[in-house]
Amino acid sequence: MAENDGAGRRSVDDGYGQDLKRELRQAERQEKRRAIGLLLPALLLVAITFLAPIGLYLYRAIDNAIMPELMPQTTAALAAWDGAGLPPDAAYDALLADLAAGKETQALGRLARRLNYSRTGFRELVLGTGRNLAAVEARPAREALVEIDPRWGQNEWWATIKQESGAITPFYLLASLDLERAPTGEIERVAPEQALYVLLFIRTFWISACVTALCFLLGYPTAYALSLLPARITNLLMILVMIPFWTSILVRTMAWAIMLQESGPVNGALLWAGIIAEPLPLMFNRAGVLIAMTHVLLPFFILPLYSVMKAIPAAQTRAASSLGAHPLLVFCKVYFPQTVPGVAAGALLVFILALGYYITPAIVGGQDDQMVSYFIALFTNQTINWGQAAALGAWLLIATFVLFALYSRLVGLGKMRLA
Amino acid sequence: MSMSGAVLPSQRHFRRLLFLVLGLVLTFLILPLFIILPLSFTDSRILTFPPTGWSDQWYVTFFTDDAWLVPLKNSLIVGGFTTVIATVLGTLAALGLVRAEFRGKALIMALLISPMVVPIVITAVGLFFFYAWLGVVGTYFSLILGHTVLAMPFVVITVSAALQGFDRTLLRAGSSLGGRPFFVFFHVTLPLILPAVVAGAIFAFATSFDEVVVALFLATPEQRTLPRQIFAGIRENISPTIAAAATVLILVSIVMMGTMEYLRRRSERLRGVRPS
């Protein structure tokens, strides 16, 4: 081969060879330019209407511009303070000026809410102080502020303001893991009664893991049985898997909301069969969430596994049997190991998709079955805490990406099967 | 030797059990969808099963009441624009991906399909803040763009999968016979990848037509889509009209699935005929 190469190169080099080489390079460059030209519209669309919005949104997880904006003088005055004891008089003067300015522009509510995230009680401290600013008159700021609220004479409130002075803050990201910064700067756990989010993440992972396990338990034998049947019958039965796969998640969830009602068909059938004496509570609880989510995600497990199983030659298991191996041994030693890549791919996909679920738990779940996505929506829509919502989103996204990197190692993104 | 072809009794039991599980799982998968059908024809105002009597009034409501007609129209508008934009841009991108080898290709592929990977709530909330900042929340524009970016990965994947098996000497043949690039594309490339493009377009339409979370954040009542209206209905008052709407959605899904299946079988048949 090397000789051939050499010969080819030599012949290209003499005479008009140089031109040919250059033309080839030019043609290749042109091809590349054309390829990029074809890709550009799609890339621009994704960059502008997807990556940029997501990036800007995630920035809210660390965005703290509100502090320098609404407390410009205080944050500047506290920069020189070492955090021990009480800040210098200048800081009190600055605080007074910032609060007065905030009252003027009606921004005190925003400031109070922001500080209250970091330390409960700040809301009334800021708003209360704002209401009494008129009482300050011409007295020194320190004396007046401590008189309005003695908490201005305590270190911890000042320490919180100093800690949250920067234009960016790790506060929300830490809080999403039930962590906080101590005044000394160390990271420590929040008080147990305030801890919420670690449990929320555990719940999200646990529900996803249960759904994945259920998909395995139901999906493996199903895919196996489908792979044993003649193609004609399998094609027909596959329709029963494909119809739910193609039906919208919302419709399927709604179907379960009807099925699982107290007076719904499931309870009706169980009562009729005499299996239960009174209706089971199946809606607005964990059982409903697991049933509906398994139903929605099961095709994602069955379809790739089926194609893996279909590719395993039946002759192998027959050969093992004919050599005298017990069917169970044949299954464990010959068949199952070959299906592991399919199982892993299906399970990982189901788990990743389950992590981000929102609609299904919101409809059939109760208060204790809501997953991370629900709280992201809740903090965005209702109890407005955008920083916290973005921080929860950031951690959820990180978990998803790590798992997807694993998935693409295992399966390959290009080979991702859709149907 | 005599045992090799026979099935052991234990194996027979095992198979019987296996097919029992198959039957149960398939029932589990399909039953909830079949339950909706009789419910949509109930004469009662509440969704109880089994229905006490029959009526087509909920379909009449669905196809005459503006509360459902407007969302249906919106879904078709948003789905239509989404399908066209996502299919054109996604197909061009797939052509670009297979055209040449260059650095960062894997990264570009990852970026193009990233909307499939990001949890939908994060996408929806991110788009909401972005379009709110631009002042276009509550317009068809933002909803269509939001759905387009979600739908495009399906087109990119479907079409680039078809292009993997594409014989590029056909292009060179076309060019060497004097065809200009556009001519070659429309007369050689496009006819060959058309089934994949159509499949991608169906995926794109299905993505938009079934999407609810982005619509939840970006649509005001004026742009309410069908799934968004069903979602509101589930939370407010479950009327049988929802079951009728759901039946319509299921039928649309079945039509799309049937088309996909037809395309898949067709391409398998064509590939089977041609020696590779």
Side-chain angles (χ1 to χ4, degrees), chain A residues 31-32 35 38-39 46 49-50 57 60 222 224 242 246 248 250-251 254 256 258-259 295 358 362 393 404, chain B residues 25 28-29 32 35 39 92-93 96 99 101 115 117 121-122 125 127 129 210 227 234-235 242 249 253 257 260:
Chain A
E31 256 325 63
K32 254 182 221 177
L38 288 167
L39 278 164
V46 171
T49 68
F50 183 76
Y57 172 62
R60 286 171 188 273
T222 304
Y224 185 42
M242 293 302 287
W246 272 90
S248 102
L250 182 67
V251 168
M254 190 197 95
W256 281 108
I258 295 166
M259 293 276 285
H295 181 259
Y358 167 58
F404 238 100
Chain B
V25 170
F28 167 71
L29 280 174
I35 289 284
L39 281 175
L92 290 180
R99 181 147 198 152
E101 285 304 322
V117 178
V121 165
I122 296 179
V125 175
L127 293 183
F129 281 116
D210 290 342
I234 295 175
R235 305 208 116 183
I242 296 179
L249 280 185
S253 305
M257 186 195 84
M260 288 294 266

Side-chain angles (χ1 to χ4, degrees), chain A residues 200-248:
Chain A
L200 174 65
F201 276 105
I202 291 175
R203 181 200 293 162
T204 304
F205 276 81
W206 173 243
I207 292 178
S208 303
C210 288
V211 169
T212 309
L214 285 170
C215 282
F216 172 73
L217 286 176
L218 297 178
Y220 195 91
T222 304
Y224 185 42
L226 284 172
S227 76
L228 292 178
L229 289 166
R232 198 168 33 86
I233 300 175
T234 308
N235 278 341
L236 277 179
L237 294 181
M238 249 337 174
I239 294 175
L240 300 182
V241 182
M242 293 302 287
I243 291 177
F245 181 75
W246 272 90
T247 305
S248 102

Side-chain angles (χ1 to χ4, degrees), chain A residues 23 82 118 143 216 227 229 244 255 274 279-280 312 316 320 345 359 387 416:
Chain A
E23 269 174 38
D82 62 359
S118 291
E143 190 184 308
F216 172 73
S227 76
L229 289 166
L280 291 172
I312 299 171
Q316 287 186 0
I359 289 292
M416 201 143 71

Side-chain angles (χ1 to χ4, degrees), chain A residues 332-343:
Chain A
C332 294
K333 288 272 174 186
V334 178
Y335 193 78
F336 185 74
Q338 299 194 69
T339 61
V340 167
V343 171

Side-chain angles (χ1 to χ4, degrees), chain A residues 61 114 117-118 164 169-176 179 181 388:
Chain A
R114 167 62 190 92
Y117 294 150
S118 291
E164 299 298 332
T169 176
F171 169 74
Y172 300 109
L173 286 171
L174 289 174
S176 300
L179 298 171
R181 274 183 304 170
Q388 195 64 61

Side-chain angles (χ1 to χ4, degrees), chain B residues 239-252:
Chain B
S239 104
T241 320
I242 296 179
T247 309
V248 172
L249 280 185
I250 293 173
L251 287 178
V252 172

